[in-house]
Amino acid sequence: MPLILHHLELSRSERIIWLLEELNAPYEIKRYKRDPQIRLAPPELAQKHPLGKAPLLELEDGRVLAETGAIAQYLLERFDADHALHPTPDAPGRLKYLEWMHASEGAVFLPFLMSTYCEATGLKDSLLDQFMEGERAKAFAHIEAHLKAHDYFAGEQFSAADCLMGFQLDAIAKRGGAKDGSALKAWLDRVHDRKAYKAMRKVTDAD
Ligand SMILES: N[C@@H](CCC(=O)N[C@@H](CS)C(=O)NCC(=O)O)C(=O)O
């Protein structure tokens, strides 16, 4: 049995599809649809892992790994022996790489996720949303300043940190948040031109 990526439509699992394509790793995909009303994952995902969230990576021996960052680390250890997509511990881009790999699920992106939740639950413009707006502005300025100074998240070379940051930045762009002339727009144009990104889009176009 090959590696199986359990993919929920319109979700973070995009990032792992992109990474699998960059690594040229063999995988199969199992697709899941969100509940049309509440947008949560279907119960079948919970049969694979107690949290029932995507992405999940099922290994050849049936073990299942959750958490985007953990899955990325596992895939890089296994399929990126020459460190083309993850800088070695002493490489110049290592610290930035680590920081953005974790920011993609951590502090930098929480405020953007909260905006989606506020909108979906009728809390748009609530005190919580206003508080998060300040946090979003801070995070956005941090991303823009980094990309003004560097072509990619780990520095001047593309890495897995770009794959992990991609999902939220594409979502921001869809909402009109990547203005012409911005460093974010230039980064999006650069990564959207990659063969593996286009391959990932072919997969997700069927969502
Ligand atoms: N921290 C987890 C978050 C996983 C997560 O929340 N996935 C969302 C998709 S974007 C999900 O499965 N949502 C459906 C649900 O919670 O039922 C990760 O990095 O993989």
Side-chain angles (χ1 to χ4, degrees), residues 44-56:
E44 295 85 70
L45 261 180
Q47 286 162 15
K48 288 285 167 191
H49 184 279
L51 292 178
K53 294 183 186 298
L56 294 176

Side-chain angles (χ1 to χ4, degrees), residues 51-160:
L51 292 178
K53 294 183 186 298
L56 294 176
L57 185 72
E58 187 168 348
L59 309 188
E60 289 87 340
D61 62 7
R63 286 179 298 161
V64 172
L65 183 59
E67 289 297 328
T68 308
I71 294 170
Q73 192 174 337
Y74 172 85
L75 291 173
L76 289 160
E77 282 165 3
R78 188 164 156 190
F79 295 105
D80 190 36
D82 58 359
H83 289 265
L85 292 180
H86 70 303
T88 54
D90 54 353
R94 177 68 173 189
L95 286 190
K96 285 291 170 212
Y97 165 81
L98 284 177
E99 188 175 321
W100 290 108
M101 284 292 278
H102 289 270
S104 69
E105 194 63 26
V108 164
F109 277 117
L110 180 69
F112 294 105
L113 288 177
M114 286 302 288
S115 120
T116 311
Y117 291 138
C118 284
E119 237 179 275
T121 56
L123 289 177
K124 193 164 167 39
D125 300 325
S126 62
L127 271 182
L128 173 64
D129 197 27
Q130 286 170 31
F131 173 75
M132 283 295 157
E133 183 48 43
E135 296 298 303
R136 278 193 286 278
K138 244 192 286 182
F140 194 81
H142 180 37
I143 292 165
E144 182 65 15
H146 176 83
L147 292 176
K148 257 203 173 86
H150 304 283
D151 281 353
Y152 296 104
F153 281 100
E156 306 328 312
Q157 268 194 2
F158 180 86
S159 76

Side-chain angles (χ1 to χ4, degrees), residues 8 10-12 15 34 39-41 45 52-55 67-69 105 167:
L8 179 65
L10 308 169
S11 82
R12 283 169 176 84
R15 306 187 288 199
R34 290 178 182 270
R39 307 300 295 154
L40 290 182
L45 261 180
K53 294 183 186 298
E67 289 297 328
T68 308
E105 194 63 26
F167 175 65

